[in-house]
């Protein structure tokens, strides 16, 4: 079985190629000029991955960009195979005159999670799975995912006691590690306030003017 890559190693291996590590995936954006060109780029990407495409590659086509995501479906994590595929895809797309681009500041490769704080996770998880049509992520009892890959993941954070004074559902916005500072600055300039930076650079807790919370997150600060 493929070994899961350590976060720092995976990031170092692909960052110079225009890929970024986000929530156990490698992601990049390929600028294109039309949906037809996007389809051609996607076809070339699938062909480059060959028999490994189904187990590792996901593609999102838009008229202005193609977003490529690599992750081992069996491990729900980045492996050495995904790092190798990122290298191969970058070279193959370059042969077409296309570039892999993390689109820093444009949000093209960010990922969104919704976090629900709960006292009894096992009791509420089935409700959220049913109402959203979600399913448990493999080997992750606290995570629900959209089986069609369209909606954000839902994860459950354990609470020790009731907390009526703060909201218990918040957004986690995972951004490229080199975009976090700019996103934090923009949120504060837009009227937000910093609630906590104790766990930075893994995440910063922010709140809007009415106290609703969101976290800006990165892969950094999470390896042992």
């Amino acid at each position: 079985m493929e070994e899961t890559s350590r976060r720092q190693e995976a990031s170092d291996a692909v960052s110079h190629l225009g890929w970024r590590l986000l929530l156990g995936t490698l992601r990049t954006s390929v600028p294109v000029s039309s949906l037809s060109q996007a389809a051609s780029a996607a076809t070339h990407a699938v062909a480059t991955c060959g028999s490994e495409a189904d187990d590792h590659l996901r593609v999102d086509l838009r008229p202005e960009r193609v977003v490529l995501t690599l992750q081992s479906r069996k491990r729900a994590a980045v492996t050495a195979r995904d790092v190798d595929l990122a290298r191969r895809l970058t070279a193959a797309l370059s042969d077409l005159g296309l570039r892999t681009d993390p689109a820093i500041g444009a949000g093209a490769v960010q990922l969104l999670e919704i976090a629900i704080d709960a006292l009894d996770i096992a009791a509420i998880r089935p409700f959220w799975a049913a109402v959203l049509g979600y399913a448990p992520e493999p080997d992750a009892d606290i995570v629900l995912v959209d089986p069609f890959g369209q909606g954000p993941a839902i994860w459950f954070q354990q609470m020790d006691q009731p907390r009526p004074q703060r909201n218990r559902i918040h957004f986690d916005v995972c951004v490229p590690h080199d975009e976090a500072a700019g996103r934090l600055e923009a949120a504060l300039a837009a009227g937000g306030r910093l609630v906590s930076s104790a766990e930075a650079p893994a995440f910063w807790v922010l709140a809007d003017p009415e106290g609703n919370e969101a976290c800006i997150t990165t892969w950094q600060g999470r390896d042992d």
Side-chain angles (χ1 to χ4, degrees):
M1 181 179 291
E2 294 177 70
E3 291 293 326
T4 300
S5 297
R6 291 182 63 83
R7 295 179 180 90
Q8 185 70 62
E9 293 172 356
S11 179
D12 289 347
V14 302
S15 287
H16 68 288
L17 300 174
W19 295 73
R20 291 296 183 269
L21 176 64
L22 297 171
L23 297 177
T25 71
L26 300 179
R27 289 170 70 90
T28 192
S29 175
V30 182
V32 295
S33 58
S34 68
L35 194 57
S36 176
Q37 188 180 33
S40 295
T43 299
H44 196 60
V46 172
T48 299
C49 292
S51 62
E52 296 171 323
D54 288 347
D55 289 334
H56 291 269
L57 178 66
R58 295 196 298 275
V59 185
D60 180 4
L61 278 67
R62 304 296 170 92
E64 70 282 355
R65 73 173 64 91
V66 178
V67 176
L68 303 176
T69 302
L70 290 168
Q71 181 190 62
S72 168
R73 293 171 64 90
K74 295 176 182 177
R75 301 298 303 276
V78 170
T79 66
R81 186 65 50 81
D82 298 295
V83 171
D84 179 62
L85 288 173
R87 295 190 183 105
R88 287 161 53 186
L89 285 167
T90 298
L93 290 166
S94 178
D95 290 342
L96 296 181
L98 300 173
R99 72 182 192 278
T100 47
D101 183 359
I104 298 300
V109 298
Q110 72 179 15
L111 284 173
L112 175 66
E113 291 183 300
I114 297 175
I116 301 175
D117 299 342
L119 292 169
D120 189 344
I121 293 173
I124 71 167
R125 188 179 58 223
F127 166 82
W128 288 101
V131 76
L132 294 170
Y134 275 27
E137 184 176 69
D139 300 322
D141 291 339
I142 64 168
V143 181
L144 295 174
V145 294
D146 181 350
F148 299 102
Q150 299 179 93
I154 307 289
W155 72 282
F156 300 88
Q157 183 165 262
Q158 185 66 55
M159 293 175 59
D160 297 325
Q161 57 187 350
R163 193 181 65 207
Q165 74 276 16
R166 291 172 57 199
N167 59 308
R168 290 170 55 182
I169 297 178
H170 68 269
F171 297 109
D172 284 343
V173 185
C174 186
V175 302
H177 63 278
D178 44 357
E179 185 174 344
R183 188 66 63 92
L184 177 64
E185 182 179 344
L188 296 176
R193 63 181 176 87
L194 181 63
V195 176
S196 175
S197 60
E199 300 297 329
F203 62 88
W204 293 259
V205 183
L206 304 169
D208 70 13
E210 293 193 358
N212 301 299
E213 294 178 7
C215 294
I216 294 173
T217 79
T218 77
W219 65 264
Q220 291 182 321
R222 299 175 187 272
D223 281 326
D224 294 334

